[in-house]
Amino acid sequence: GRRWPLMIDPQDQANRWIVGKERKNGLKVVKLTDKNLLRTLENAIRIGLPVLIEEVGETLDPALEPILLKQTFVQAGRLLIRLGDSDVDYDKNFRFYMTSKLSNPHYMPEIFIKVTIINFTVTILGLEDQLLADVVRLERPDLEEQRNALIMRINADKQKLKDIEDKILKLLFQSEGNILDDEELIETLNDSKIVSKEINIRLKEAEETEEKISKARAKYIPVATRGSVIYFVTADLSEIDPMYQYSLKYFTSLFVKVIETSEKAAELEKRLQILLDGITLTMYNNIGRGLFERHKVCFSFMLCAEIMKNAGDITMDEWNFFIRGLPPLEKDRPSKPVQCTFMKTITWNLLVDVEEAMPVYSGMTGDIKLTPVQVNVGSYVLQLNPTTLPNYIPNVPEPPADLSTEDLPPGAPRGHWNARLNTFQKLTLVKYFKPEALTECLGTFVSENLGGAFMENPPTDLSVLYADMTQSVPLIFVLSSGSDPMAAFMRFAKDKEYVERVHAISLGQGQGPVAEKLMFAAMKTGDWVFLQNCHLAKSWMLSMEEIIKNFSDPGAELHEDFRLFLSSMPAPFFPVSVLQNGIKVTSEPPKGLRSNLRRAFGELTKSDFEDHILKTDWCRIIFGICLFHAIVLERRKFGPLAFNIPYEFADSDRECAIDNFKLFTSDGELPWDALQFITAEITYGGRVTDEWDQRCLKVVLKRFFARNTLNEGYHYCSSDVYFAPENTSLEKYKEYVETLPLIDPPEIFDMNENANVSFQKKESMYMINTILEVQPRLVSGGSGKSLMRSCSKWQI
């Protein structure tokens, strides 16, 4: 073409295609940040080699302008181009490519006139075709081979026809005199007639065969569609946090792995269901373990909603109404009826607006004074009016199965709203009228439609993560304030008998070269390298990215036991390619008491828990310490009602408290005064700076870590749910933890129900705003509409 290409390539597809296409021609791959960029370009232009510049941003280096504009000139019979301050011989075999990993770049007009912009971003249908090919290749290899052979044969036949046509046209052009006297032309025409007839017959047969193959392949489309839907939900996560990056290559490898390892079934319907369930759960586990707790429910809900939208269970109007809310318009509304004394005017106005906005709620304002209006989302009951009133119409008839056939007389109540609305429509009512219950109902919604596993924390055991690692795929710990995965990592290294071969370094100023030496040495010896706090070494990130990218080169020499571990706080400059292809896991306290206790007991060994001189007392006190740790972490959600200052307690505090307890009770005695003082004043109290918070901490500790907690039948709060089991088995304690409620009651925190309401409203608002961040918004303008990323302020 007249201009060199700049490819928008967030999924790395163009990059891989160019590398594969030009590798045999000596392709040079560079970045705009490389020190030797101009020298590489000079050599490539002089020799005629192709050059690929990766990860281009929204601006281009002015030094590239002569190349982009092809400003060549002839001097003394030589074709030259001025690059920098020197004239370079220009070989016409030189080719120039640029790729950008930005998914939605905003280029200035002057860039558009210098390059050809090519969008390589995968589409939903395009990805569906790719994944369908993978499914059929693994499930029905005979079909895929037959299809590929058929495509090649059809293309060959069409090419043969074109060659014959070209030959005839050439002969006609060269023919002189009477055409009928040209024997070669006559013979070619006769041959073409015969060959054309044969090819047309073959093409017709091929088209019939292709139709049969397409019908057989179509049975696997639901699996490919599910994979495509999940990928685009996952790709949107990068809008929430820069660390949530996942490459299409990584996603496809997981997709293929599920198909290869899932349970086989003779019946196609059963096999398809196994694949759908397996792919959805595997993707949730692998993506979810790299998300912060506050985003995991958002991801589960977005995943569930997209699957239901694709199936037609949720319409786009319903989704937009749920997520965007009502526009804040001032308008005249009918007055609140005198019968509705139970309802505030603001609630009545909201009900009027909801009914006007969505036809499915039509008639609700009339029913509110004539019959109970109630919907159930799982165990939660939303009651918009009292269950009984004197003016209610008794025995309202049940609605028909097909609501479109319903024919009600004017003024008659519709009633039975719980039967009329589907789960998502009920969830929308909860969002508008009881926002504090939205988080609980979202969990119920996901559990009912996808399964309970999608509301559980994905497994983050290092043994599970290690199994997914290879010598070229690093493990990345995404840190939060106060978290430190080092202790858990060293325990895992000890279990693997690898402690002596672990090299850990905390990055910072001047530590980059030291880390490089460690990595290169470990690549040969098979040791483990842990680079901590990568966010403190911004200038070294490019060097680290190049080293890690070289791991995947075909000629890379890596010891099979070599493993690389990284840790970093969320940072926009962390290398995207490392994030996309690495295994990510967040290092932060889990959300909820049950998840906290599960994690705590998952880190305890059987010998440490069961083999102690105190027997049952030891186990019950350890449980109390773990529960106390979970309590002080979860109390932070109540804001100033819990602590004046939100303290960042870490897992190391719990481990230190258990170690102190073990040390002080080695002789079988329980010095409670000393234990309580050390735990309240030093282990946990060392972080506390406010005097009233210190007093509060002591009071909370005494409910879980005191002499009376060993009394028979002791419960930690008024609820009978929370207590320490009377046995010494670690497995029994783990089984008990799994029976605890998913939603923590406020009494376990010594809080009133009203404290929970304010927290839940805040959490619901945060979730809706987070989901809204990744939604495209239709904006009218001029003659058309455009899709824009927006975080508009809507009434929620």
Side-chain angles (χ1 to χ4, degrees), residues 105-117:
H106 300 283
Y107 291 116
M108 300 296 286
E110 54 264 31
I111 290 180
F112 277 92
I113 62 173
K114 294 175 187 174
V115 300
T116 300
I117 303 285

mmCIF file with all atom_site columns, all heavy atoms in Angstrom, residues 105-117:
data_model
loop_
_atom_site.group_PDB
_atom_site.id
_atom_site.type_symbol
_atom_site.label_atom_id
_atom_site.label_alt_id
_atom_site.label_comp_id
_atom_site.label_asym_id
_atom_site.label_entity_id
_atom_site.label_seq_id
_atom_site.pdbx_PDB_ins_code
_atom_site.Cartn_x
_atom_site.Cartn_y
_atom_site.Cartn_z
_atom_site.occupancy
_atom_site.B_iso_or_equiv
_atom_site.pdbx_formal_charge
_atom_site.auth_seq_id
_atom_site.auth_comp_id
_atom_site.auth_asym_id
_atom_site.auth_atom_id
_atom_site.pdbx_PDB_model_num
ATOM 1   N N   . PRO A 1 105 ? -7.640  3.209  21.233 1.00 0.00 ? 105 PRO A N   1
ATOM 2   C CA  . PRO A 1 105 ? -6.753  4.384  21.188 1.00 0.00 ? 105 PRO A CA  1
ATOM 3   C C   . PRO A 1 105 ? -7.417  5.578  20.499 1.00 0.00 ? 105 PRO A C   1
ATOM 4   O O   . PRO A 1 105 ? -8.313  5.410  19.668 1.00 0.00 ? 105 PRO A O   1
ATOM 5   C CB  . PRO A 1 105 ? -5.559  3.871  20.368 1.00 0.00 ? 105 PRO A CB  1
ATOM 6   C CG  . PRO A 1 105 ? -6.130  2.799  19.504 1.00 0.00 ? 105 PRO A CG  1
ATOM 7   C CD  . PRO A 1 105 ? -7.237  2.160  20.295 1.00 0.00 ? 105 PRO A CD  1
ATOM 8   N N   . HIS A 1 106 ? -6.979  6.765  20.877 1.00 0.00 ? 106 HIS A N   1
ATOM 9   C CA  . HIS A 1 106 ? -7.489  8.000  20.269 1.00 0.00 ? 106 HIS A CA  1
ATOM 10  C C   . HIS A 1 106 ? -6.328  8.681  19.536 1.00 0.00 ? 106 HIS A C   1
ATOM 11  O O   . HIS A 1 106 ? -5.531  9.380  20.152 1.00 0.00 ? 106 HIS A O   1
ATOM 12  C CB  . HIS A 1 106 ? -8.082  8.926  21.338 1.00 0.00 ? 106 HIS A CB  1
ATOM 13  C CG  . HIS A 1 106 ? -9.219  8.321  22.080 1.00 0.00 ? 106 HIS A CG  1
ATOM 14  N ND1 . HIS A 1 106 ? -10.489 8.222  21.559 1.00 0.00 ? 106 HIS A ND1 1
ATOM 15  C CD2 . HIS A 1 106 ? -9.288  7.742  23.306 1.00 0.00 ? 106 HIS A CD2 1
ATOM 16  C CE1 . HIS A 1 106 ? -11.284 7.630  22.427 1.00 0.00 ? 106 HIS A CE1 1
ATOM 17  N NE2 . HIS A 1 106 ? -10.575 7.321  23.493 1.00 0.00 ? 106 HIS A NE2 1
ATOM 18  N N   . TYR A 1 107 ? -6.227  8.428  18.239 1.00 0.00 ? 107 TYR A N   1
ATOM 19  C CA  . TYR A 1 107 ? -5.144  8.993  17.445 1.00 0.00 ? 107 TYR A CA  1
ATOM 20  C C   . TYR A 1 107 ? -5.550  10.343 16.864 1.00 0.00 ? 107 TYR A C   1
ATOM 21  O O   . TYR A 1 107 ? -6.694  10.544 16.455 1.00 0.00 ? 107 TYR A O   1
ATOM 22  C CB  . TYR A 1 107 ? -4.756  8.036  16.308 1.00 0.00 ? 107 TYR A CB  1
ATOM 23  C CG  . TYR A 1 107 ? -4.091  6.775  16.793 1.00 0.00 ? 107 TYR A CG  1
ATOM 24  C CD1 . TYR A 1 107 ? -4.688  5.539  16.608 1.00 0.00 ? 107 TYR A CD1 1
ATOM 25  C CD2 . TYR A 1 107 ? -2.860  6.821  17.447 1.00 0.00 ? 107 TYR A CD2 1
ATOM 26  C CE1 . TYR A 1 107 ? -4.092  4.376  17.056 1.00 0.00 ? 107 TYR A CE1 1
ATOM 27  C CE2 . TYR A 1 107 ? -2.253  5.655  17.910 1.00 0.00 ? 107 TYR A CE2 1
ATOM 28  C CZ  . TYR A 1 107 ? -2.868  4.445  17.716 1.00 0.00 ? 107 TYR A CZ  1
ATOM 29  O OH  . TYR A 1 107 ? -2.273  3.307  18.166 1.00 0.00 ? 107 TYR A OH  1
ATOM 30  N N   . MET A 1 108 ? -4.578  11.249 16.790 1.00 0.00 ? 108 MET A N   1
ATOM 31  C CA  . MET A 1 108 ? -4.816  12.567 16.212 1.00 0.00 ? 108 MET A CA  1
ATOM 32  C C   . MET A 1 108 ? -4.920  12.445 14.693 1.00 0.00 ? 108 MET A C   1
ATOM 33  O O   . MET A 1 108 ? -4.387  11.501 14.099 1.00 0.00 ? 108 MET A O   1
ATOM 34  C CB  . MET A 1 108 ? -3.667  13.513 16.586 1.00 0.00 ? 108 MET A CB  1
ATOM 35  C CG  . MET A 1 108 ? -3.493  13.708 18.083 1.00 0.00 ? 108 MET A CG  1
ATOM 36  S SD  . MET A 1 108 ? -4.928  14.499 18.854 1.00 0.00 ? 108 MET A SD  1
ATOM 37  C CE  . MET A 1 108 ? -4.716  16.171 18.289 1.00 0.00 ? 108 MET A CE  1
ATOM 38  N N   . PRO A 1 109 ? -5.605  13.382 14.041 1.00 0.00 ? 109 PRO A N   1
ATOM 39  C CA  . PRO A 1 109 ? -5.773  13.313 12.574 1.00 0.00 ? 109 PRO A CA  1
ATOM 40  C C   . PRO A 1 109 ? -4.458  13.218 11.816 1.00 0.00 ? 109 PRO A C   1
ATOM 41  O O   . PRO A 1 109 ? -4.376  12.553 10.786 1.00 0.00 ? 109 PRO A O   1
ATOM 42  C CB  . PRO A 1 109 ? -6.509  14.623 12.245 1.00 0.00 ? 109 PRO A CB  1
ATOM 43  C CG  . PRO A 1 109 ? -7.218  14.990 13.506 1.00 0.00 ? 109 PRO A CG  1
ATOM 44  C CD  . PRO A 1 109 ? -6.353  14.519 14.616 1.00 0.00 ? 109 PRO A CD  1
ATOM 45  N N   . GLU A 1 110 ? -3.381  13.868 12.322 1.00 0.00 ? 110 GLU A N   1
ATOM 46  C CA  . GLU A 1 110 ? -2.110  13.831 11.591 1.00 0.00 ? 110 GLU A CA  1
ATOM 47  C C   . GLU A 1 110 ? -1.509  12.432 11.528 1.00 0.00 ? 110 GLU A C   1
ATOM 48  O O   . GLU A 1 110 ? -0.722  12.129 10.632 1.00 0.00 ? 110 GLU A O   1
ATOM 49  C CB  . GLU A 1 110 ? -1.096  14.815 12.195 1.00 0.00 ? 110 GLU A CB  1
ATOM 50  C CG  . GLU A 1 110 ? -0.845  14.658 13.679 1.00 0.00 ? 110 GLU A CG  1
ATOM 51  C CD  . GLU A 1 110 ? -1.686  15.615 14.509 1.00 0.00 ? 110 GLU A CD  1
ATOM 52  O OE1 . GLU A 1 110 ? -2.802  15.959 14.080 1.00 0.00 ? 110 GLU A OE1 1
ATOM 53  O OE2 . GLU A 1 110 ? -1.209  16.004 15.584 1.00 0.00 ? 110 GLU A OE2 1
ATOM 54  N N   . ILE A 1 111 ? -1.880  11.570 12.502 1.00 0.00 ? 111 ILE A N   1
ATOM 55  C CA  . ILE A 1 111 ? -1.398  10.185 12.442 1.00 0.00 ? 111 ILE A CA  1
ATOM 56  C C   . ILE A 1 111 ? -2.179  9.412  11.377 1.00 0.00 ? 111 ILE A C   1
ATOM 57  O O   . ILE A 1 111 ? -1.615  8.600  10.641 1.00 0.00 ? 111 ILE A O   1
ATOM 58  C CB  . ILE A 1 111 ? -1.515  9.521  13.827 1.00 0.00 ? 111 ILE A CB  1
ATOM 59  C CG1 . ILE A 1 111 ? -0.496  10.138 14.789 1.00 0.00 ? 111 ILE A CG1 1
ATOM 60  C CG2 . ILE A 1 111 ? -1.310  8.006  13.737 1.00 0.00 ? 111 ILE A CG2 1
ATOM 61  C CD1 . ILE A 1 111 ? -0.487  9.582  16.181 1.00 0.00 ? 111 ILE A CD1 1
ATOM 62  N N   . PHE A 1 112 ? -3.477  9.681  11.261 1.00 0.00 ? 112 PHE A N   1
ATOM 63  C CA  . PHE A 1 112 ? -4.307  8.977  10.274 1.00 0.00 ? 112 PHE A CA  1
ATOM 64  C C   . PHE A 1 112 ? -3.837  9.226  8.840  1.00 0.00 ? 112 PHE A C   1
ATOM 65  O O   . PHE A 1 112 ? -3.978  8.357  7.989  1.00 0.00 ? 112 PHE A O   1
ATOM 66  C CB  . PHE A 1 112 ? -5.777  9.412  10.416 1.00 0.00 ? 112 PHE A CB  1
ATOM 67  C CG  . PHE A 1 112 ? -6.516  8.668  11.485 1.00 0.00 ? 112 PHE A CG  1
ATOM 68  C CD1 . PHE A 1 112 ? -6.576  9.156  12.781 1.00 0.00 ? 112 PHE A CD1 1
ATOM 69  C CD2 . PHE A 1 112 ? -7.161  7.464  11.207 1.00 0.00 ? 112 PHE A CD2 1
ATOM 70  C CE1 . PHE A 1 112 ? -7.259  8.464  13.778 1.00 0.00 ? 112 PHE A CE1 1
ATOM 71  C CE2 . PHE A 1 112 ? -7.840  6.782  12.195 1.00 0.00 ? 112 PHE A CE2 1
ATOM 72  C CZ  . PHE A 1 112 ? -7.893  7.276  13.483 1.00 0.00 ? 112 PHE A CZ  1
ATOM 73  N N   . ILE A 1 113 ? -3.279  10.408 8.571  1.00 0.00 ? 113 ILE A N   1
ATOM 74  C CA  . ILE A 1 113 ? -2.847  10.682 7.195  1.00 0.00 ? 113 ILE A CA  1
ATOM 75  C C   . ILE A 1 113 ? -1.463  10.103 6.905  1.00 0.00 ? 113 ILE A C   1
ATOM 76  O O   . ILE A 1 113 ? -1.045  10.073 5.755  1.00 0.00 ? 113 ILE A O   1
ATOM 77  C CB  . ILE A 1 113 ? -2.855  12.202 6.901  1.00 0.00 ? 113 ILE A CB  1
ATOM 78  C CG1 . ILE A 1 113 ? -1.868  12.933 7.807  1.00 0.00 ? 113 ILE A CG1 1
ATOM 79  C CG2 . ILE A 1 113 ? -4.259  12.770 7.010  1.00 0.00 ? 113 ILE A CG2 1
ATOM 80  C CD1 . ILE A 1 113 ? -1.700  14.413 7.472  1.00 0.00 ? 113 ILE A CD1 1
ATOM 81  N N   . LYS A 1 114 ? -0.769  9.642  7.939  1.00 0.00 ? 114 LYS A N   1
ATOM 82  C CA  . LYS A 1 114 ? 0.573   9.079  7.735  1.00 0.00 ? 114 LYS A CA  1
ATOM 83  C C   . LYS A 1 114 ? 0.574   7.558  7.670  1.00 0.00 ? 114 LYS A C   1
ATOM 84  O O   . LYS A 1 114 ? 1.491   6.965  7.093  1.00 0.00 ? 114 LYS A O   1
ATOM 85  C CB  . LYS A 1 114 ? 1.500   9.513  8.888  1.00 0.00 ? 114 LYS A CB  1
ATOM 86  C CG  . LYS A 1 114 ? 1.790   10.993 8.940  1.00 0.00 ? 114 LYS A CG  1
ATOM 87  C CD  . LYS A 1 114 ? 2.598   11.331 10.184 1.00 0.00 ? 114 LYS A CD  1
ATOM 88  C CE  . LYS A 1 114 ? 2.747   12.835 10.337 1.00 0.00 ? 114 LYS A CE  1
ATOM 89  N NZ  . LYS A 1 114 ? 3.399   13.194 11.625 1.00 0.00 ? 114 LYS A NZ  1
ATOM 90  N N   . VAL A 1 115 ? -0.411  6.911  8.295  1.00 0.00 ? 115 VAL A N   1
ATOM 91  C CA  . VAL A 1 115 ? -0.422  5.439  8.369  1.00 0.00 ? 115 VAL A CA  1
ATOM 92  C C   . VAL A 1 115 ? -1.801  4.911  7.972  1.00 0.00 ? 115 VAL A C   1
ATOM 93  O O   . VAL A 1 115 ? -2.774  5.662  7.906  1.00 0.00 ? 115 VAL A O   1
ATOM 94  C CB  . VAL A 1 115 ? -0.082  4.937  9.795  1.00 0.00 ? 115 VAL A CB  1
ATOM 95  C CG1 . VAL A 1 115 ? 1.286   5.387  10.230 1.00 0.00 ? 115 VAL A CG1 1
ATOM 96  C CG2 . VAL A 1 115 ? -1.135  5.395  10.805 1.00 0.00 ? 115 VAL A CG2 1
ATOM 97  N N   . THR A 1 116 ? -1.844  3.608  7.718  1.00 0.00 ? 116 THR A N   1
ATOM 98  C CA  . THR A 1 116 ? -3.124  2.930  7.493  1.00 0.00 ? 116 THR A CA  1
ATOM 99  C C   . THR A 1 116 ? -3.515  2.233  8.793  1.00 0.00 ? 116 THR A C   1
ATOM 100 O O   . THR A 1 116 ? -2.811  1.319  9.241  1.00 0.00 ? 116 THR A O   1
ATOM 101 C CB  . THR A 1 116 ? -3.010  1.889  6.363  1.00 0.00 ? 116 THR A CB  1
ATOM 102 O OG1 . THR A 1 116 ? -2.626  2.569  5.168  1.00 0.00 ? 116 THR A OG1 1
ATOM 103 C CG2 . THR A 1 116 ? -4.330  1.176  6.144  1.00 0.00 ? 116 THR A CG2 1
ATOM 104 N N   . ILE A 1 117 ? -4.588  2.683  9.421  1.00 0.00 ? 117 ILE A N   1
ATOM 105 C CA  . ILE A 1 117 ? -5.039  2.076  10.680 1.00 0.00 ? 117 ILE A CA  1
ATOM 106 C C   . ILE A 1 117 ? -5.837  0.804  10.357 1.00 0.00 ? 117 ILE A C   1
ATOM 107 O O   . ILE A 1 117 ? -6.793  0.848  9.583  1.00 0.00 ? 117 ILE A O   1
ATOM 108 C CB  . ILE A 1 117 ? -5.928  3.049  11.480 1.00 0.00 ? 117 ILE A CB  1
ATOM 109 C CG1 . ILE A 1 117 ? -5.184  4.356  11.762 1.00 0.00 ? 117 ILE A CG1 1
ATOM 110 C CG2 . ILE A 1 117 ? -6.412  2.399  12.778 1.00 0.00 ? 117 ILE A CG2 1
ATOM 111 C CD1 . ILE A 1 117 ? -4.127  4.286  12.830 1.00 0.00 ? 117 ILE A CD1 1
#
